[in-house]
């Protein structure tokens, strides 16, 4: 195995441990926005989609690669953009104060 | 990259290796900070924005560092995805949040599976065992996430039957499929015996079968846990795809999401008194036994106390006289779309001089925290919504409790009926309240199948049956 692969494993372990420790005291009322926010974060696979598509375009079968690559990019982007936007929409409601509500 | 469709100038030199790695650490830390901020109401919105910004910057530095900025063919896909995502986010109703999260989850899993497929195809003839194994693993996990999430979303959206479907030998089948999937991963990683196309199809088929079988037996109360678990899985799929394409940021963020998602799942399991392993292995709450009658002594005692006082016979009178009223909403409220009526009821009570508090069980609804979102969307003041631990001691002092479409989360059997599926689950102390008005569809036990002794109480309890929307309107006009 190459050095970079050991580094990746190390990064994965550290990230997992920190991520695990981080979620301790989330009040349950925030679980829905939190889940939806983390869901958006899992769309980070967009990075892989961009990378894989760009690489595959120079390979032997660029048309097929482009079609599948674009599907991956579109899906990952829906995940990221939709996830963050809907989380933002939810949290905006949480931020409203009592007085504003009464005016409605 | 010297194909004719790719412009030939390099941007990679703009960002040095150390600079890139430092930026990756900074962005991963920003994601962690974002998640941390999301654990407090005041900072949650900021946290989400920080995470979003981190991912946006992550995309930009990846484009620069990996030399794909000039590959213009990738941009239409990004634009299309962005537009669809934003439209989805704007159009979705808050009641549909669980299925949206499930759907987006599946979509993310699919993207990871495609990314990993590219990597596997590229490496298939090479001796890259690490790359090929991780790619195969990411394909399988991503595809399981996709199909599992699609089934979950379908059930939540009522496209698929909501009742748990349990096949004969369900657990054995799950185990066998899991072994086969493991086999395909080994096949992809170490051997080169079948063509990569065939292998991909085999992986996809079995992952689809596993995903479907995994989700199809989930019903009602296990749904939040399943969604949370799939959420975690989509992070894991992304991280492992990151191994396959050697992208450090992808590995880091995917790892964070995978681990924190898993922990969130555990928190939920604890709140529902479910064992994560049981859920993974396919034991559902439905298999719980019905025969154990809830121990009725404490309730009986409560009854005796209650009977000494003369109670008004009409729940409307009780509510009119009450100075402090607690409202306990459950999934039934969401199902009947009754949250706006609940808010009207609360407003009527407050204008009559009573104080109204909402008591929310951590796993009420189809997704943890879903009740809070629905109530707040309906315009209920955020300050009036209380979490279980903050309000549970106050039930005994409240004049009346109104329960709307909730059952298991307030079933006192959870305290003492050993052997029932809900035994040990923390519950709302509704039974300590002297007057309880229950709006429920019927008198059937809740999802757990355990009878609720509160329903049998002779006095101080009124059960109003029917669709919460109709019964609440009726109740409101009488007030």
């Amino acid at each position: 195995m190459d050095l970079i692969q050991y580094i990746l494993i190390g990064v994965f372990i550290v990230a997992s441990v920190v991520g695990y420790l981080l979620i301790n005291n989330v009040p349950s009322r925030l679980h829905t926005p939190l889940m939806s926010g983390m869901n958006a974060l899992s769309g980070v696979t967009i990075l892989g989609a961009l990378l894989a598509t760009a690489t595959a375009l120079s390979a032997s079968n660029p048309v097929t690669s482009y079609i599948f690559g674009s599907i991956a990019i579109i899906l990952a982007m829906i995940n990221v953009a939709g996830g963050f936007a809907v989380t933002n929409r939810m949290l905006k409601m949480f931020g409203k104060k009592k007085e504003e509500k009464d005016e409605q | 990259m010297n194909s004719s469709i790719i412009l030939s100038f390099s941007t990679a030199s703009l960002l040095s290796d150390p600079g890139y790695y430092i930026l990756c650490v900074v962005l991963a830390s920003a994601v962690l900070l974002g998640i941390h901020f999301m654990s407090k109401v005041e900072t949650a919105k900021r946290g989400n924005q920080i995470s979003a910004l981190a991912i946006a910057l992550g995309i930009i530095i990846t484009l620069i560092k990996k030399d794909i900025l000039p590959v213009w063919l990738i941009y239409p896909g990004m634009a299309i995805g962005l537009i669809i995502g934003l439209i989805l986010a704007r159009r979705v109703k808050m009641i549909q949040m669980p299925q949206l999260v499930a759907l987006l989850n599946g979509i993310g899993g699919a993207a990871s599976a495609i990314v990993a497929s590219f990597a596997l195809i590229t490496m298939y003839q090479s001796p890259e065992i690490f790359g090929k194994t991780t790619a195969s693993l990411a394909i399988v996990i991503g595809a399981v996430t996709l199909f599992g999430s699609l089934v979950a979303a379908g059930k939540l959206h009522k496209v698929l039957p909501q009742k748990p479907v349990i096949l004969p030998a369900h657990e054995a089948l799950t185990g066998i499929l899991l072994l086969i999937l493991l086999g395909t991963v080994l096949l992809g990683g170490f051997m080169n015996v079948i063509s990569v196309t065939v292998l991909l199809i085999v992986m996809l088929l079995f992952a689809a079968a596993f995903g479907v079988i995994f989700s199809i037996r989930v019903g009602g109360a296990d749904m939040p846990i399943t969604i949370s678990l799939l959420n975690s899985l989509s992070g894991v799929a992304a991280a492992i795809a990151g191994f396959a394409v050697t992208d450090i940021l992808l590995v880091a963020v995917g790892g964070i999401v995978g681990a924190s998602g898993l922990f969130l799942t555990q928190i939920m399991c604890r709140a529902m008194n479910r064992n994560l392993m049981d859920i993974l292995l396919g034991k559902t709450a439905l298999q719980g036994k019905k025969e154990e009658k809830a121990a009725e002594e404490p309730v009986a005692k409560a009854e005796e106390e209650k009977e000494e006082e003369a109670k008004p016979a009409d729940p409307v009178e009780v509510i009119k006289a009450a100075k402090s009223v607690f409202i306990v909403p459950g999934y039934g409220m969401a199902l009947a779309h009754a949250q706006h009526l609940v808010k009207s009821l609360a407003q009527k009570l407050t204008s009559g001089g009573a104080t109204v508090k909402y008591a929310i069980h951590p796993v009420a609804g189809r997704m943890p925290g879903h009740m809070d979102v629905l109530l707040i969307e309906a315009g209920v003041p955020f300050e009036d919504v209380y979490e279980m631990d903050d309000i549970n001691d106050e039930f005994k002092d409240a004049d009346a409790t109104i329960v709307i479409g909730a059952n298991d989360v307030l079933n006192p059997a959870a305290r003492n009926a050993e052997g029932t599926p809900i035994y040990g689950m923390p519950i709302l102390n509704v039974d300590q309240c002297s007057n309880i008005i229950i709006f429920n569809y019927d008198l059937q036990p809740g999802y757990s199948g355990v009878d609720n002794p509160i329903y049998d109480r002779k006095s101080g309890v009124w059960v109003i049956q029917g669709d919460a929307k109709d019964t609440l309107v009726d109740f409101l006009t009488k007030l």
Side-chain angles (χ1 to χ4, degrees), chain A residues 93-104, chain B residues 343 347 376 379-384:
Chain A
M93 302 183 323
F94 275 78
K96 277 189 191 157
K97 288 275 168 284
K98 202 167 187 167
E99 304 80 63
E100 294 174 34
K101 287 272 155 82
D102 291 342
E103 284 165 20
Q104 286 174 4
Chain B
K343 182 201 161 201
Q347 276 180 335
I376 289 164
V380 167
F382 178 69
E383 296 87 340
D384 295 349

Side-chain angles (χ1 to χ4, degrees), chain B residues 302-336:
Chain B
E303 265 173 38
E304 283 164 29
E305 287 167 25
K306 297 282 139 45
E307 272 162 22
E308 288 167 18
E309 311 162 36
K311 291 280 174 206
D314 187 4
V316 178
E317 297 306 317
V318 174
I319 289 296
K320 272 185 183 162
K323 284 277 152 276
S324 114
V325 179
F326 286 3
I327 296 180
V328 177
Y331 186 65
M333 178 192 80
L335 214 57

Side-chain angles (χ1 to χ4, degrees), chain A residues 1-2 4-12 15-58 62 64-66 68-99 101-102 104, chain B residues 1 5 21 31-32 35 38-41 44-45 48-49 51-52 55 58-59 62 66 68 71 73-74 77-78 81-82 84-86 89-90 92 94 97 100-101 104-105 107-108 110-112 114-115 118 128 130 227-228 231 234-235 238-239 243 245-246 248-253 255-257 259-261 263-264 266-268 362 367-370 372-373 376-377 379 381-385 387:
Chain A
M1 270 182 19
D2 300 336
I4 182 74
Q5 291 167 346
Y6 286 109
I7 294 176
L8 288 175
I9 293 175
V11 166
F12 181 67
S16 303
V17 170
V18 179
Y20 198 82
L21 296 176
L22 199 67
I23 300 289
N24 219 341
N25 290 314
V26 185
S28 54
R29 62 165 57 143
L30 282 177
H31 278 177
T32 291
L34 184 69
M35 232 154 101
S36 130
M38 288 205 301
N39 178 29
L41 279 174
S42 69
V44 69
T45 196
I46 180 80
L47 303 183
L50 295 170
L51 196 59
T53 310
T55 315
L57 280 176
S58 56
T64 325
S65 301
Y66 183 57
F68 279 98
S70 294
I71 293 175
I73 292 175
I74 292 173
L75 293 178
M77 204 65 198
I78 293 176
N79 191 183
V80 171
F84 281 126
V86 84
T87 311
N88 195 53
R89 201 181 127 196
M90 257 188 283
L91 291 171
K92 239 171 23 197
M93 302 183 323
F94 275 78
K96 277 189 191 157
K97 288 275 168 284
K98 202 167 187 167
E99 304 80 63
K101 287 272 155 82
D102 291 342
Q104 286 174 4
Chain B
M1 273 183 244
I5 43 172
Y21 289 124
V31 166
L32 287 170
I35 296 180
M38 283 189 79
S39 61
K40 284 202 186 68
V41 176
K45 200 175 144 204
N48 184 53
Q49 288 163 347
S51 301
I55 298 298
I59 293 176
T62 303
K66 309 277 165 139
I68 39 185
V71 186
L73 278 169
I74 56 171
M78 287 176 80
L82 186 71
I84 297 178
L86 292 180
R90 184 168 297 220
V92 69
M94 282 302 145
M97 270 316 292
L100 178 74
V101 171
L104 289 177
N105 236 341
I107 284 177
S112 295
I114 297 177
V115 169
F118 272 112
E128 288 270 352
F130 180 84
I227 296 180
S228 179
N231 198 20
S234 70
F243 280 119
V245 296
T246 354
I248 199 159
L249 193 56
L250 185 45
V251 170
V253 178
I256 293 170
V257 174
S260 44
F263 194 66
L264 193 60
Q266 268 189 336
I267 293 178
M268 275 174 224
M367 194 174 168
H370 193 202
D372 305 75
V373 172
I376 289 164
E377 191 203 19
F382 178 69
E383 296 87 340
D384 295 349
V385 182
E387 289 190 26

Side-chain angles (χ1 to χ4, degrees), chain B residues 379-438:
Chain B
V380 167
F382 178 69
E383 296 87 340
D384 295 349
V385 182
Y386 290 82
E387 289 190 26
M388 181 169 80
D389 291 342
D390 297 334
I391 199 169
N392 232 357
D393 295 337
E394 299 175 29
F395 273 102
K396 53 183 183 298
D397 304 321
D399 295 325
T401 299
I402 302 176
V403 179
I404 296 142
N407 192 342
D408 285 336
V409 295
L410 49 99
N411 190 344
R415 294 201 199 103
N416 42 35
E418 274 183 58
T420 57
I422 57 169
Y423 176 66
M425 177 173 94
I427 53 153
L428 290 161
N429 296 329
V430 173
D431 60 324
Q432 293 176 357
C433 188
S434 42
N435 295 298
I436 307 167
I437 299 161
I438 301 172

Side-chain angles (χ1 to χ4, degrees), chain B residues 183-387:
Chain B
T184 62
V185 170
L186 294 177
L187 212 56
F190 295 92
M191 278 159 268
N192 202 349
V193 284
I194 49 174
S195 88
V196 69
T197 320
V198 175
L199 180 65
L200 284 176
I201 292 171
V202 170
M203 280 176 167
L204 199 65
L205 283 178
F206 282 102
F210 182 79
V212 169
I213 282 191
F214 179 78
S215 283
I216 200 144
R217 60 168 171 71
V218 179
D222 279 346
M223 206 39 125
I225 296 175
T226 306
I227 296 180
S228 179
L229 195 63
L230 289 168
N231 198 20
S232 165
L233 266 189
S234 70
V236 174
I240 298 178
F243 280 119
V245 296
T246 354
D247 190 292
I248 199 159
L249 193 56
L250 185 45
V251 170
V253 178
I256 293 170
V257 174
S260 44
L262 189 65
F263 194 66
L264 193 60
T265 314
Q266 268 189 336
I267 293 178
M268 275 174 224
C269 284
R270 223 177 295 146
M272 302 182 76
N273 192 34
R274 303 280 287 122
N275 186 320
L276 186 56
M277 278 321 279
D278 283 357
I279 294 171
L280 285 176
L281 295 175
K283 293 182 189 141
T284 62
L286 256 196
Q287 293 168 347
K289 323 86 207 164
K290 264 193 183 183
E291 63 269 23
E292 279 96 340
K293 260 279 175 189
E296 298 192 0
E297 280 168 48
V299 182
K301 227 178 270 167
E303 265 173 38
E304 283 164 29
E305 287 167 25
K306 297 282 139 45
E307 272 162 22
E308 288 167 18
E309 311 162 36
K311 291 280 174 206
D314 187 4
V316 178
E317 297 306 317
V318 174
I319 289 296
K320 272 185 183 162
K323 284 277 152 276
S324 114
V325 179
F326 286 3
I327 296 180
V328 177
Y331 186 65
M333 178 192 80
L335 214 57
H337 298 277
Q339 56 269 34
H340 289 275
L341 283 166
V342 171
K343 182 201 161 201
S344 312
L345 174 66
Q347 276 180 335
K348 204 156 196 172
L349 295 175
T350 358
S351 60
T355 54
V356 175
K357 289 178 179 175
Y358 298 83
I360 315 279
H361 191 273
V363 289
R366 282 294 181 271
M367 194 174 168
H370 193 202
M371 286 300 127
D372 305 75
V373 172
L374 289 178
L375 286 173
I376 289 164
E377 191 203 19
V380 167
F382 178 69
E383 296 87 340
D384 295 349
V385 182
Y386 290 82
E387 289 190 26

Side-chain angles (χ1 to χ4, degrees), chain B residues 9 76 117 146 156 184 266 321 396 455 461:
Chain B
F9 68 86
S117 305
L146 169 66
L156 289 164
T184 62
Q266 268 189 336
K396 53 183 183 298
Y455 282 55
V461 175

